[in-house]
Amino acid sequence: MFTPVRRRVRTAALALSAIAALALGATATSGAAAAPAAAKQGPTSVAYVEVNSNSMLNVGKYTLSNGGANVFDIAVIFAANINYDAGTKAGTLYFNPNVQRVLDNAATQIRPLQQKGIKVVLSVLGNHQGSGFANFPSQQAASTFAKQLSDTVAKYGLDGIDFDDEYADYGNNGTGQPNASSFVYLVSALRANMPGKIISLYNIGPAASRLSYGGVDITSKFDYAWNPYYGSWQVPGIALPKSKLSPAAVEIGGTSQSTAASLARRTVSEGYGVYLTYNLDGADRSADVSAFTRELYGSDAHYTP
């Protein structure tokens, strides 16, 4: 039986009451224009990085031995949180110290990846406080949170937002249970705020099954959706084209190389366009990475320290 997921390293973030302040109107540029990445044919590769213990720069250390293209196309900062604000009785965006450090040091932690042509996305998930993407008390509350997200993307020069509806613990702090409208309002507002950016769905939790409300279906507002169960094959239950879906999910160093290769082979043979990986750390993982790049791209992976 597959275990959903992540052995996430928790910091003392829950004990901290400071909410990351967003400077409205402040924006960040992406620095120098991204250099054209070497051409690569095959699925989009995604790497989640636990920034509580690992550097985002690890994502840029892997290239294909044949041609020199980046192995990874999207790097996901894992993870910001949706916390409960007792004053507004709604969710608010929170960064633990490790996430805040990455954002504050975007020039050295994010921009180098973008300059290689790698997109950098911020994942957001629950924090055991009762707030989640599926229980905003009003459309205005959902829109307010959407603005916090889009302001963050603009301020730090990010490429998008990833939604992961885990660990919300709906009902804590007197919060409501998931409702049908919240996620639709949230994603609709976020897409309106940042039309050219990535919005991705980690296909788990109440929000993932509440994609339509009041005649509005938000499926087309997502760029990608992926399977949340590492070491398994599961097509996300969202009506996106195959090119935007990752039924395969692997934990680098935690999923066997044979399984990673098999899932990559199936991704190609069944015509899916995304391959999801999790927990890229600072070790030389070229053997683990090559196991799937050989199937996805016909090349081993090269690691540059």
Side-chain angles (χ1 to χ4, degrees):
M1 185 174 194
F2 296 111
T3 302
V5 293
R6 312 183 184 218
R7 298 189 295 275
R8 290 177 167 103
V9 178
R10 291 293 179 188
T11 66
L14 289 173
L16 301 176
S17 59
I19 303 302
L22 297 177
L24 297 179
T27 60
T29 65
S30 295
K40 180 178 75 174
Q41 300 247 333
T44 296
S45 290
V46 183
Y48 276 81
V49 178
E50 290 261 17
V51 297
N52 287 337
S53 51
N54 296 298
S55 169
M56 290 301 297
L57 297 178
N58 295 332
V59 182
K61 294 179 178 180
Y62 293 87
T63 54
L64 296 180
S65 298
N66 298 338
N70 297 319
V71 166
F72 298 106
D73 304 288
I74 300 174
V76 184
I77 302 168
F78 190 79
N81 298 103
I82 178 170
N83 276 11
Y84 178 71
D85 185 324
T88 61
K89 300 190 185 309
T92 191
L93 188 59
Y94 170 78
F95 308 131
N96 76 27
N98 297 303
V99 173
Q100 187 68 65
R101 189 176 303 113
V102 171
L103 297 175
D104 288 343
N105 292 281
T108 57
Q109 297 298 307
I110 295 171
R111 230 56 80 216
L113 297 178
Q114 293 173 324
Q115 288 163 359
K116 290 175 182 282
I118 300 168
K119 302 290 187 182
V120 180
V121 170
L122 178 66
S123 185
V124 186
L125 79 161
N127 211 5
H128 305 283
Q129 298 184 9
S131 284
F133 312 130
N135 71 339
F136 290 104
S138 67
Q139 183 173 5
Q140 181 57 51
S143 296
T144 296
F145 188 71
K147 189 169 191 309
Q148 292 178 22
L149 294 174
S150 58
D151 283 348
T152 296
V153 168
K155 179 177 180 180
Y156 297 107
L158 302 174
D159 295 297
I161 293 292
D162 175 63
F163 287 111
D164 181 349
D165 191 14
E166 297 180 274
Y167 309 117
D169 291 355
Y170 289 103
N172 280 1
N173 289 311
T175 57
Q177 292 301 309
N179 59 57
S181 61
S182 287
F183 199 44
V184 173
Y185 289 148
L186 174 60
V187 175
S188 295
L190 183 61
R191 177 51 77 203
N193 290 352
M194 46 179 229
K197 299 292 186 176
I198 292 170
I199 302 178
S200 58
L201 178 65
Y202 190 80
N203 190 50
I204 199 168
S209 62
R210 290 166 167 81
L211 303 180
S212 63
Y213 176 76
V216 176
D217 188 311
I218 56 172
T219 296
S220 64
K221 300 183 189 301
F222 290 99
D223 294 281
Y224 304 103
W226 26 72
N227 170 17
Y229 300 95
Y230 300 112
S232 78
W233 178 273
Q234 183 180 105
V235 180
I238 179 172
L240 287 171
K242 283 186 171 184
S243 61
K244 303 296 186 181
L245 296 176
S246 181
V250 301
E251 180 178 357
I252 295 176
T255 300
S256 71
Q257 292 177 19
S258 61
T259 297
S262 175
L263 291 172
R265 192 158 48 246
R266 187 171 179 182
T267 296
V268 172
S269 67
E270 297 192 19
Y272 287 93
V274 189
Y275 189 85
L276 178 71
T277 74
Y278 168 67
N279 207 24
L280 183 65
D281 60 19
D284 178 355
R285 297 291 183 181
S286 55
D288 294 301
V289 174
S290 292
F292 61 80
T293 60
R294 282 192 291 267
E295 303 295 336
L296 297 177
Y297 311 117
S299 174
D300 283 338
H302 175 73
Y303 172 77
T304 303

